[in-house]
Amino acid sequence: MEKKEMIYEGKAKKVYRTEDPYELIVDYKDDATAFNGQKKGQIAGKGAVNNTMSNIMFGILEEKGVPTHLVKQISERETLVRAVDILPLEVIIRNVSAGSFAKRYGVEEGILFDEPTFEFSYKNDDLGDPLMVESHALALKLATKEDIEVIRKYALTVNEEMKKFFLEANLRLIDFKLEFGRDRETGKIILADEISPDTCRLWDVDTGEKMDKDRFRRDLGNLEETYRAVLERVKEKA
Ligand code: UDP
């Protein structure tokens, strides 16, 4: 599939058109950003890790009945995906308190919840991706009630499957973010974007060590090594 012109460049990926209007090529970058783009850096090899890991996770999820944008990986950093219109809602699932949850409620990180939490952020950089309640998403017609029900069902399946999978890789799935899109050809809601150490919090089961983007956010060091180690564990269990 031939890569045509770039149609979008985000913080972590570039997106290219192909000759098929319903398929795009994503090209993962090594750039890392945090705190709404205020902190910037590079993590050598991150693009290749996130691309490969995401594709492994999407392959597993497809088998469990969650449709995704994955068509096929075409190189270390590039993947052919279905063209979607991304819904401007970030879907966040949490199993354990951390990050903005711990900060918002003034609690420590590491509290295990009885049930996973489900929340939306409004995907809007100018506003800093604020937390958004469902009725506001409906009021602004960002998604329909049916879309939200489908998204909730898929997101909870993703959580159950990923929790099991990561545990086998000796990693605790603390929380993660998903993005869904509407397939431009079929109109169906499918899982898009990525699943990687940039979008999940993963703690080593034995040591509690953070093995995700918090190492970058909090200057904990060993960035390249950690991203590579997560991919190795994932590959071993896939
Ligand atoms: N997350 C993400 N992109 C964002 C915001 C959050 O991938 O723009 C992920 C983050 O890595 C974590 C989960 O979503 O796994 C929950 O993040 P949180 O709301 O705690 O925000 P943060 O602490 O990252 O600001």
Side-chain angles (χ1 to χ4, degrees), residues 6-234:
M6 187 172 82
I7 53 171
Y8 170 81
E9 177 163 11
K11 289 181 283 228
K13 300 182 214 65
K14 294 177 189 169
V15 180
Y16 295 84
R17 207 166 63 74
T18 68
E19 63 238 27
D20 182 337
Y22 301 118
E23 293 188 347
L24 302 173
I25 290 171
V26 291
D27 187 341
Y28 284 71
K29 307 194 285 188
D30 284 350
D31 296 350
T33 64
F35 312 119
N36 200 25
Q38 289 176 63
K39 182 180 169 87
K40 289 194 175 77
Q42 285 239 326
I43 302 173
K46 175 170 87 78
V49 166
N50 287 8
N51 184 36
T52 303
M53 172 162 166
S54 213
N55 292 341
I56 292 171
M57 302 314 298
F58 282 9
I60 292 170
L61 293 170
E62 287 272 356
E63 281 177 22
K64 303 295 178 183
V66 179
T68 78
H69 73 171
L70 174 64
V71 179
K72 69 166 191 284
Q73 187 160 336
I74 53 186
S75 75
E76 247 198 338
R77 290 168 183 280
E78 297 164 306
T79 294
L80 186 66
V81 300
R82 298 288 303 164
V84 298
D85 293 307
I86 292 281
L87 300 180
L89 292 170
E90 299 191 339
V91 176
I92 294 172
I93 299 273
R94 303 175 191 272
N95 297 303
V96 174
S97 65
S100 71
F101 183 98
K103 191 160 177 230
R104 177 181 313 272
Y105 300 113
V107 297
E108 75 264 38
E109 295 199 310
I111 303 165
L112 175 65
F113 304 146
D114 290 342
E115 296 287 332
T117 67
F118 175 94
E119 80 208 39
F120 292 119
S121 293
Y122 181 30
K123 197 171 146 64
N124 184 315
D125 281 340
D126 293 339
L127 301 176
D129 297 345
L131 184 68
M132 181 178 250
V133 298
E134 184 177 323
S135 65
H136 291 182
L138 291 171
L140 293 177
K141 296 195 163 43
L142 304 181
T144 66
K145 269 203 164 120
E146 294 71 34
D147 293 338
I148 290 176
E149 273 329 295
V150 169
I151 287 171
R152 191 192 317 276
K153 187 185 83 184
Y154 288 158
L156 292 172
T157 303
V158 171
N159 186 44
E160 290 314 309
E161 296 305 328
M162 293 216 307
K163 258 198 314 196
K164 272 192 276 180
F165 177 81
F166 283 124
L167 210 50
E168 287 179 28
N170 218 38
L171 291 167
R172 280 179 86 193
L173 178 61
I174 304 303
D175 59 26
F176 58 94
K177 182 234 4 175
L178 300 175
E179 293 186 23
F180 290 87
R182 197 180 303 283
D183 187 298
R184 281 198 195 138
E185 187 174 26
T186 67
K188 295 260 187 287
I189 297 282
I190 63 177
L191 181 60
D193 194 49
E194 66 180 276
I195 295 181
S196 72
D198 274 3
T199 64
C200 300
R201 283 195 171 91
L202 298 164
W203 296 356
D204 183 86
V205 169
D206 301 321
T207 64
E209 195 187 354
K210 296 185 194 305
M211 300 195 64
D212 55 58
K213 192 171 152 185
D214 274 345
R215 301 203 74 82
F216 172 74
R217 294 189 189 96
R218 304 179 191 187
D219 296 316
L220 299 175
N222 286 354
L223 298 169
E224 290 90 349
E225 296 84 338
T226 302
Y227 275 72
R228 245 183 291 124
V230 170
L231 177 62
E232 283 317 308
R233 290 196 199 186
V234 164

